[in-house]
């Protein structure tokens, strides 16, 4: 039982996942700092409040108290997410894909061309032929 757990923990996938989580957290902190201290102030120049997080839309409430919707905070979260995704894609995914392509080319591995999938007309003709073969002949 303990041997199975040891095998699971020392498997490459678990270690790779742990490294990815740690690096992802570090990238998130860096990108969030760039967005908070560079991009948001640039956007804040265009907003009357001077800050993206201060952009609030108020809607009159039924009982007198207005409801406040923090549109700026939502936009800021979307910008943070897209920034983190862009950094991860361009700094991790693209180089790793290029490295995998080079490694495959060096080893002489080529992708086999998959046979073309049959068209809709070919599939319908095949179904028609199968149904015709199943009919009893009179």
């Amino acid at each position: 039982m303990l041997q199975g757990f040891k095998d699971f923990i020392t498997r490459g996938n678990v270690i790779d996942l742990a490294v990815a989580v740690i690096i992802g957290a570090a990238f998130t902190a860096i990108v969030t700092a760039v967005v908070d201290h560079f991009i948001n102030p640039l956007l804040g120049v265009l907003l009357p409040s001077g800050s993206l997080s201060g952009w609030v839309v108020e809607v009159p409430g039924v009982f007198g108290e207005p409801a406040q919707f923090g549109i700026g905070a939502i936009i800021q979260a979307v910008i943070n997410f897209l920034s983190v995704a862009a950094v991860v894609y361009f700094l991790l995914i693209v180089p790793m894909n290029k490295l995998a392509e080079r490694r495959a080319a060096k080893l002489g591995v080529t992708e086999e061309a998959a046979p073309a999938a049959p068209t809709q007309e070919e599939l319908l003709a095949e179904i028609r032929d199968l149904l015709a073969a199943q009919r009893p002949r009179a």
Side-chain angles (χ1 to χ4, degrees):
M1 183 164 169
L2 290 177
Q3 181 62 33
F5 180 72
K6 179 183 168 194
D7 292 342
F8 170 73
I9 293 298
T10 57
R11 226 183 264 165
N13 297 351
V14 174
I15 294 170
D16 291 343
L17 181 61
V19 169
V21 168
I22 292 168
I23 289 181
F27 271 132
T28 301
I30 292 169
V31 172
T32 300
V34 169
V35 169
D36 288 343
H37 300 290
F38 182 71
I39 294 174
N40 286 344
L42 284 176
L43 292 174
V45 171
L46 304 173
L47 298 172
S49 66
S51 169
L52 189 61
S53 60
W55 188 17
V56 176
V57 175
E58 288 190 6
V59 177
V62 176
F63 300 106
E65 287 292 321
Q68 295 183 344
F69 296 96
I71 302 298
I74 295 170
I75 293 172
Q76 184 175 355
V78 170
I79 290 171
N80 283 348
F81 170 76
L82 292 175
S83 300
V84 169
V87 166
V88 168
Y89 179 75
F90 289 113
L91 294 181
L92 291 176
I93 303 299
V94 170
M96 291 304 290
N97 286 345
K98 293 289 185 187
L99 182 63
E101 288 174 11
R102 286 185 190 155
R103 189 176 297 149
K106 188 176 184 181
L107 295 174
V109 177
T110 59
E111 292 183 21
E112 294 292 324
T119 64
Q120 187 174 8
E121 289 80 16
E122 292 171 339
L123 289 173
L124 289 173
E126 186 178 338
I127 291 170
R128 179 200 61 213
D129 295 342
L130 289 171
L131 288 172
Q134 289 179 354
R135 277 192 216 137
R137 305 227 175 202

